Amino acid sequence: TAEEAIATLVNIAQLDRPEDDIEGLPRVIASSIGRDVNDVYRGNNNGVLEDVELNTRIVEASRAAVRALVQQSTGNDGRVKEVSSFFDDIGGAFGQLMGQKKPWTQAIIDAGFPAVSEERLAPLFAYLEFCLKQVVKDNELGGIMELLNGEFLMPAPGGDPIRNPEVLPTGRNMHALDPSAIPTGAAVEVAEDVVRKLLEKLKDENDGMYP
């Protein structure tokens, strides 16, 4: 259903994906008011009232933006059967020429973030549109029939579809790990920072000499 698709895409949109040059939706929204989303999360976890309220507003704005994307492809029965590509749509391009905001940008503006950058949102929502197509695909019966006919069934990675939407659609020959995707760029960045701090600490404890 559309609601199930929205719930999945909201979770996908939360994550930064630096290896694909995609910023998470909360980060883009927070930056529109001059805040770093990590600071907002930290304040929210520490019970800072301003950040608790801001985090709630960011979550609501994110959901409204994703809903605006999904509604473009939702039928009268509340289900998504075929995804309309807004980025290839002539009407969408014409609307942009006329100065109209994309539906998801307008949803964020209406949620109280008028300075949000449509340019920064574009890579993320192009990705979410791809993810929506993956979410609504149904290849279970097709995959079974291919196997029963002795045909080759395309392999695909397994795992969490939020972290890696490439695992969708289901109905393919799943393998547990994708060696080419481990470690991620983000993991390498974190590891470099941790090792650098560890070496500096050991240096300080060893009279300025590295171990």
Side-chain angles (χ1 to χ4, degrees):
T1 66
E3 290 301 319
E4 291 170 334
I6 290 168
T8 300
L9 292 184
V10 166
N11 287 323
I12 291 173
Q14 286 182 344
L15 302 181
D16 294 317
R17 302 176 193 274
E19 63 275 12
D20 297 315
D21 294 322
I22 294 174
E23 295 179 282
L25 187 50
R27 183 174 302 281
V28 177
I29 294 174
S31 68
S32 73
I33 57 171
R35 293 294 306 275
D36 185 296
V37 74
N38 293 329
D39 292 337
V40 176
Y41 290 153
R42 194 174 298 113
N44 178 74
N45 292 338
N46 291 332
V48 178
L49 182 59
E50 178 186 356
D51 289 336
V52 171
E53 293 175 348
L54 178 56
N55 185 61
T56 299
R57 290 176 54 214
I58 289 173
V59 170
E60 291 173 350
S62 298
R63 179 168 289 275
V66 171
R67 182 180 298 278
L69 171 68
V70 175
Q71 281 179 341
Q72 306 297 313
S73 304
T74 303
N76 293 331
D77 59 353
R79 303 186 70 85
V80 180
K81 294 179 181 177
E82 186 173 344
V83 178
S84 301
S85 180
F86 198 93
F87 290 88
D88 297 333
D89 182 62
I90 295 176
F94 180 74
Q96 188 173 13
L97 290 174
M98 297 298 292
Q100 294 178 356
K101 297 290 186 182
K102 297 286 195 302
W104 45 86
T105 306
Q106 190 61 53
I108 296 172
I109 292 172
D110 293 343
F113 299 92
V116 69
S117 169
E118 188 162 71
E119 183 178 351
R120 288 177 66 178
L121 289 173
L124 171 62
F125 276 86
Y127 183 72
L128 290 179
E129 186 177 277
F130 158 76
C131 293
L132 180 59
K133 292 176 181 177
Q134 298 295 91
V135 167
V136 301
K137 280 182 180 177
D138 183 1
N139 194 46
E140 293 288 344
L141 290 177
I144 291 174
M145 293 307 299
E146 287 181 29
L147 289 174
L148 292 176
N149 290 331
E151 300 175 11
F152 174 73
L153 187 61
M154 184 64 67
D160 180 10
I162 305 302
R163 185 179 67 83
N164 179 21
E166 297 285 347
V167 306
L168 299 170
T170 56
R172 295 179 292 175
N173 189 15
M174 186 180 73
H175 53 80
L177 297 174
D178 181 2
S180 66
I182 300 174
T184 64
V188 171
E189 277 188 37
V190 171
E192 287 177 347
D193 189 48
V194 169
V195 171
R196 179 182 58 78
K197 290 179 179 177
L198 175 61
L199 290 175
E200 291 298 327
K201 181 175 182 293
L202 292 173
K203 179 182 176 183
D204 291 340
E205 295 173 350
N206 195 37
D207 298 325
M209 300 290 291
Y210 284 110

